[in-house]
Amino acid sequence: MDRKENAIRECFSLEEAVIYACGESVSIDKKQSVHGGDANEAYKLFLSNGEILFLKRNTVSNADFFRAEAEGIAAIKLAGKIRVPTVYARGTDAGHSFVLMEYIESGRRQEDFWEQLGAGLAAMHKADTAPYLERGKYGFDRDNYIGAGYQKNTPMDSWTGFFSECRLRPQFILAEKYFDSSVVRAADRLLDNIDRYLYEPDKPSLLHGDLWGGNFMSDENGSPVLIDPAAYVGCNEADIAMTELFGGFDRRFYESYFDSMGVVPGYEERRELYNLYHLTNHLNLFGRTYLPSVVRIIKRFSV
Ligand code: ADP
């Protein structure tokens, strides 16, 4: 990745980060809590020069989450197809880790908000992935996180190999305590036969990686902004599958996305297999509620 173009400063105090973002004599006048996130404390920062920034904070032991988030946002920004907040700095400060970024003022969605989101995502999925990885490979230049789960991104030549070895297998290993021996065998069969169910895309796509309804916003103009990615280079269908995991986006999103990208026959079948990754991650993070869905999908794809 072109790190000079996307220089996110590592800072050792919030004051230093604010000065890096806004200039020498600028300081924080007021902090206001922002609700809605599920992992971090979030604040709207009012600065002495009248500017407003967005701060997310966690414990020092979670500093790597913000490193990963900042790199993912920078990757999407570099593609230049859909808005993300500009990230200025990340680092640690008096017992906390933090990331400091542009504050996005929420506005009422434009009439064609969903079309913009669909077309913007399609454009991002069509963009050249050479800025992130050797052209044609799948993965990312660093591992990152999917929610609180660790996400392995070892670059590989094969998408199906990547999805099996860096996505499903690590989650299956973590979930083994929930699986009886028939499920373990079915999971092994699924991994051995992944090529029967998934295909190698014509070309790789930069993915948001965690595209559910809580990870986009509407900006001051009513246009979409992506937040909180778990970015990597993969098959575009994995991003679309996730949008459908918890109820789905508006119909206009899919129409505009598939108008631009085209549909590869069999997507509805593959969708479940892609979402098996997220469901198994949920099983590992939040417990047994997700077990029946995970077992059903494993068995479905292991015959
Ligand atoms: P978490 O990492 O804890 O899940 P999020 O990134 O989802 O936190 O952010 C929490 C909430 O803050 C979001 O639901 C959104 O409403 C708001 N938010 C996120 N990023 C920004 C931003 N750059 N500017 C303004 N508000 C934001």
Side-chain angles (χ1 to χ4, degrees), residues 82 107-120 216-219 221-225 249-250 252-253 256:
I82 187 156
R108 204 169 134 211
R109 291 177 185 174
Q110 285 184 19
E111 283 276 294
D112 65 346
F113 177 88
W114 289 108
E115 286 86 349
Q116 287 183 42
L117 186 59
F216 63 83
M217 301 176 60
S218 169
D219 70 10
N221 301 313
S223 290
V225 181
F249 289 9
D250 190 278
R252 290 166 290 177
F253 166 80
S256 117

Side-chain angles (χ1 to χ4, degrees), residues 1-302:
M1 205 185 301
D2 188 345
R3 294 188 187 284
K4 277 194 290 297
E5 282 281 300
N6 289 277
I8 295 165
R9 170 83 71 101
E10 184 175 9
C11 293
F12 297 94
S13 75
L14 182 54
E15 284 67 29
E16 181 193 345
V18 167
I19 287 169
Y20 175 69
C22 296
E24 260 310 318
S25 55
V26 179
S27 57
I28 300 168
D29 275 354
K30 199 175 90 176
K31 259 195 213 160
Q32 192 179 81
S33 282
V34 174
H35 303 288
D38 43 28
N40 303 293
E41 292 170 21
Y43 300 94
K44 183 175 184 179
L45 299 186
F46 296 84
L47 306 183
S48 57
N49 66 347
E51 282 189 60
I52 295 175
L53 293 179
F54 184 69
L55 172 74
K56 290 212 292 193
R57 225 168 61 160
N58 209 311
T59 57
V60 170
S61 60
N62 282 327
D64 201 52
F65 284 86
F66 290 140
R67 188 272 306 158
E69 179 176 348
E71 289 183 1
I73 291 177
I76 295 175
K77 193 174 197 71
L78 189 63
K81 304 299 181 191
I82 187 156
R83 185 174 177 191
V84 283
T86 298
V87 179
Y88 299 109
R90 63 175 184 85
T92 49
D93 175 70
H96 290 107
S97 56
F98 69 87
V99 63
L100 184 68
M101 64 181 87
E102 176 185 11
Y103 183 83
I104 305 290
E105 203 64 62
S106 293
R108 204 169 134 211
R109 291 177 185 174
Q110 285 184 19
E111 283 276 294
D112 65 346
F113 177 88
W114 289 108
E115 286 86 349
Q116 287 183 42
L117 186 59
L121 193 72
M124 182 175 114
H125 285 169
K126 283 180 180 174
D128 188 8
T129 55
Y132 314 107
L133 275 187
E134 196 183 316
R135 188 174 275 125
K137 286 197 188 279
Y138 298 90
F140 206 49
D141 63 349
R142 296 271 288 269
D143 291 351
N144 50 22
Y145 301 89
I146 178 72
Y150 193 75
Q151 180 163 270
K152 215 171 134 182
N153 288 321
T154 314
M156 293 178 71
D157 292 321
S158 152
W159 163 246
T160 60
F162 177 83
F163 193 73
S164 146
E165 295 312 309
C166 292
R167 291 293 176 268
L168 292 182
R169 193 185 295 280
Q171 293 292 344
F172 287 172
I173 290 170
L174 286 175
E176 241 173 48
K177 63 174 179 289
Y178 296 108
F179 293 168
D180 66 28
S181 57
S182 76
V183 179
V184 171
R185 281 197 305 277
D188 284 342
R189 276 201 305 280
L190 190 168
L191 294 175
D192 288 344
N193 293 300
I194 196 100
D195 291 325
R196 282 167 57 182
Y197 307 110
L198 302 182
Y199 67 95
E200 293 295 334
D202 288 342
K203 61 196 218 43
S205 299
L206 177 68
L207 307 187
H208 176 284
D210 194 6
L211 196 54
W212 68 288
N215 280 345
F216 63 83
M217 301 176 60
S218 169
D219 70 10
E220 65 283 1
N221 301 313
S223 290
V225 181
L226 297 179
I227 58 172
D228 230 357
Y232 68 101
V233 172
C235 174
N236 66 305
E237 289 185 344
D239 251 1
I240 300 304
M242 179 152 204
T243 67
E244 299 196 74
L245 181 57
F246 302 117
F249 289 9
D250 190 278
R251 160 190 66 76
R252 290 166 290 177
F253 166 80
Y254 299 101
E255 283 170 5
S256 117
Y257 179 83
F258 286 120
D259 259 8
S260 173
M261 281 303 279
V263 189
V264 178
Y267 161 69
E268 273 93 2
E269 297 281 305
R270 293 185 293 277
R271 177 174 60 197
E272 270 215 314
L273 191 48
Y274 285 132
N275 284 339
L276 176 60
Y277 171 58
H278 297 292
L279 288 168
T280 317
N281 184 44
H282 276 62
L283 170 66
N284 288 320
L285 294 176
F286 308 119
R288 292 194 160 269
T289 325
Y290 296 92
L291 186 59
S293 322
V294 166
V295 168
R296 183 185 59 76
I297 301 171
I298 289 176
K299 294 205 162 165
R300 180 180 164 202
F301 285 95
S302 64

